[in-house]
PDB file of all heavy atoms in Angstrom:
ATOM      1  N   HIS A  98       6.323  28.146  12.030  1.00  0.00           N
ATOM      2  CA  HIS A  98       7.292  27.447  12.876  1.00  0.00           C
ATOM      3  C   HIS A  98       8.727  27.594  12.381  1.00  0.00           C
ATOM      4  O   HIS A  98       9.640  27.824  13.176  1.00  0.00           O
ATOM      5  CB  HIS A  98       6.925  25.969  12.963  1.00  0.00           C
ATOM      6  CG  HIS A  98       5.709  25.697  13.791  1.00  0.00           C
ATOM      7  ND1 HIS A  98       5.353  24.424  14.194  1.00  0.00           N
ATOM      8  CD2 HIS A  98       4.757  26.510  14.294  1.00  0.00           C
ATOM      9  CE1 HIS A  98       4.237  24.484  14.906  1.00  0.00           C
ATOM     10  NE2 HIS A  98       3.851  25.731  14.973  1.00  0.00           N
ATOM     11  N   LEU A  99       8.922  27.410  11.078  1.00  0.00           N
ATOM     12  CA  LEU A  99      10.279  27.331  10.533  1.00  0.00           C
ATOM     13  C   LEU A  99      10.746  28.702  10.059  1.00  0.00           C
ATOM     14  O   LEU A  99      11.051  28.919   8.882  1.00  0.00           O
ATOM     15  CB  LEU A  99      10.333  26.299   9.403  1.00  0.00           C
ATOM     16  CG  LEU A  99       9.893  24.881   9.772  1.00  0.00           C
ATOM     17  CD1 LEU A  99      10.036  23.940   8.577  1.00  0.00           C
ATOM     18  CD2 LEU A  99      10.658  24.339  10.975  1.00  0.00           C
ATOM     19  N   THR A 100      10.833  29.626  10.995  1.00  0.00           N
ATOM     20  CA  THR A 100      11.304  30.976  10.702  1.00  0.00           C
ATOM     21  C   THR A 100      12.773  31.102  11.115  1.00  0.00           C
ATOM     22  O   THR A 100      13.254  30.357  11.983  1.00  0.00           O
ATOM     23  CB  THR A 100      10.488  32.023  11.459  1.00  0.00           C
ATOM     24  OG1 THR A 100      10.747  31.885  12.875  1.00  0.00           O
ATOM     25  CG2 THR A 100       8.993  31.864  11.193  1.00  0.00           C
ATOM     26  N   PRO A 101      13.492  32.056  10.536  1.00  0.00           N
ATOM     27  CA  PRO A 101      14.882  32.254  10.961  1.00  0.00           C
ATOM     28  C   PRO A 101      15.016  32.526  12.446  1.00  0.00           C
ATOM     29  O   PRO A 101      15.957  32.048  13.097  1.00  0.00           O
ATOM     30  CB  PRO A 101      15.339  33.446  10.108  1.00  0.00           C
ATOM     31  CG  PRO A 101      14.490  33.376   8.885  1.00  0.00           C
ATOM     32  CD  PRO A 101      13.149  32.894   9.363  1.00  0.00           C
ATOM     33  N   GLU A 102      14.089  33.307  13.005  1.00  0.00           N
ATOM     34  CA  GLU A 102      14.163  33.643  14.429  1.00  0.00           C
ATOM     35  C   GLU A 102      13.960  32.403  15.297  1.00  0.00           C
ATOM     36  O   GLU A 102      14.716  32.159  16.249  1.00  0.00           O
ATOM     37  CB  GLU A 102      13.118  34.706  14.775  1.00  0.00           C
ATOM     38  CG  GLU A 102      13.325  36.038  14.090  1.00  0.00           C
ATOM     39  CD  GLU A 102      12.867  36.046  12.629  1.00  0.00           C
ATOM     40  OE1 GLU A 102      12.127  35.100  12.225  1.00  0.00           O
ATOM     41  OE2 GLU A 102      13.251  36.985  11.899  1.00  0.00           O
ATOM     42  N   ASN A 103      12.926  31.616  14.980  1.00  0.00           N
ATOM     43  CA  ASN A 103      12.664  30.406  15.764  1.00  0.00           C
ATOM     44  C   ASN A 103      13.810  29.414  15.672  1.00  0.00           C
ATOM     45  O   ASN A 103      14.228  28.819  16.680  1.00  0.00           O
ATOM     46  CB  ASN A 103      11.378  29.739  15.285  1.00  0.00           C
ATOM     47  CG  ASN A 103      10.129  30.489  15.680  1.00  0.00           C
ATOM     48  OD1 ASN A 103      10.174  31.421  16.478  1.00  0.00           O
ATOM     49  ND2 ASN A 103       8.998  30.105  15.109  1.00  0.00           N
ATOM     50  N   LEU A 104      14.328  29.225  14.478  1.00  0.00           N
ATOM     51  CA  LEU A 104      15.394  28.233  14.308  1.00  0.00           C
ATOM     52  C   LEU A 104      16.716  28.713  14.878  1.00  0.00           C
ATOM     53  O   LEU A 104      17.542  27.889  15.315  1.00  0.00           O
ATOM     54  CB  LEU A 104      15.538  27.877  12.838  1.00  0.00           C
ATOM     55  CG  LEU A 104      14.642  26.731  12.322  1.00  0.00           C
ATOM     56  CD1 LEU A 104      14.862  25.451  13.123  1.00  0.00           C
ATOM     57  CD2 LEU A 104      13.172  27.089  12.339  1.00  0.00           C
ATOM     58  N   ALA A 105      16.937  30.024  14.920  1.00  0.00           N
ATOM     59  CA  ALA A 105      18.128  30.534  15.607  1.00  0.00           C
ATOM     60  C   ALA A 105      18.054  30.208  17.094  1.00  0.00           C
ATOM     61  O   ALA A 105      19.062  29.823  17.713  1.00  0.00           O
ATOM     62  CB  ALA A 105      18.265  32.031  15.382  1.00  0.00           C
ATOM     63  N   ASP A 106      16.854  30.335  17.670  1.00  0.00           N
ATOM     64  CA  ASP A 106      16.681  29.966  19.082  1.00  0.00           C
ATOM     65  C   ASP A 106      16.911  28.475  19.293  1.00  0.00           C
ATOM     66  O   ASP A 106      17.543  28.057  20.279  1.00  0.00           O
ATOM     67  CB  ASP A 106      15.279  30.352  19.556  1.00  0.00           C
ATOM     68  CG  ASP A 106      15.116  31.843  19.769  1.00  0.00           C
ATOM     69  OD1 ASP A 106      16.134  32.573  19.739  1.00  0.00           O
ATOM     70  OD2 ASP A 106      13.965  32.287  19.955  1.00  0.00           O
ATOM     71  N   GLU A 107      16.389  27.657  18.398  1.00  0.00           N
ATOM     72  CA  GLU A 107      16.586  26.204  18.521  1.00  0.00           C
ATOM     73  C   GLU A 107      18.068  25.851  18.395  1.00  0.00           C
ATOM     74  O   GLU A 107      18.584  25.003  19.138  1.00  0.00           O
ATOM     75  CB  GLU A 107      15.774  25.464  17.454  1.00  0.00           C
ATOM     76  CG  GLU A 107      14.266  25.651  17.551  1.00  0.00           C
ATOM     77  CD  GLU A 107      13.621  24.854  18.664  1.00  0.00           C
ATOM     78  OE1 GLU A 107      14.340  24.174  19.427  1.00  0.00           O
ATOM     79  OE2 GLU A 107      12.376  24.907  18.778  1.00  0.00           O
ATOM     80  N   ALA A 108      18.769  26.503  17.475  1.00  0.00           N
ATOM     81  CA  ALA A 108      20.201  26.233  17.310  1.00  0.00           C
ATOM     82  C   ALA A 108      20.977  26.620  18.557  1.00  0.00           C
ATOM     83  O   ALA A 108      21.877  25.899  19.001  1.00  0.00           O
ATOM     84  CB  ALA A 108      20.741  26.986  16.095  1.00  0.00           C
ATOM     85  N   ALA A 147      16.249  28.713   6.724  1.00  0.00           N
ATOM     86  CA  ALA A 147      16.037  28.995   8.145  1.00  0.00           C
ATOM     87  C   ALA A 147      16.667  27.916   9.020  1.00  0.00           C
ATOM     88  O   ALA A 147      17.140  28.201  10.130  1.00  0.00           O
ATOM     89  CB  ALA A 147      14.541  29.106   8.428  1.00  0.00           C
ATOM     90  N   LEU A 148      16.700  26.684   8.534  1.00  0.00           N
ATOM     91  CA  LEU A 148      17.235  25.566   9.312  1.00  0.00           C
ATOM     92  C   LEU A 148      18.763  25.511   9.327  1.00  0.00           C
ATOM     93  O   LEU A 148      19.342  24.759  10.117  1.00  0.00           O
ATOM     94  CB  LEU A 148      16.691  24.245   8.764  1.00  0.00           C
ATOM     95  CG  LEU A 148      15.285  23.854   9.232  1.00  0.00           C
ATOM     96  CD1 LEU A 148      14.637  22.887   8.264  1.00  0.00           C
ATOM     97  CD2 LEU A 148      15.320  23.242  10.630  1.00  0.00           C
TER      98      LEU A 148
END
Side-chain angles (χ1 to χ4, degrees):
H98 288 192
L99 303 182
T100 67
E102 296 78 15
N103 288 350
L104 272 303
D106 286 350
E107 298 284 3
L148 279 158

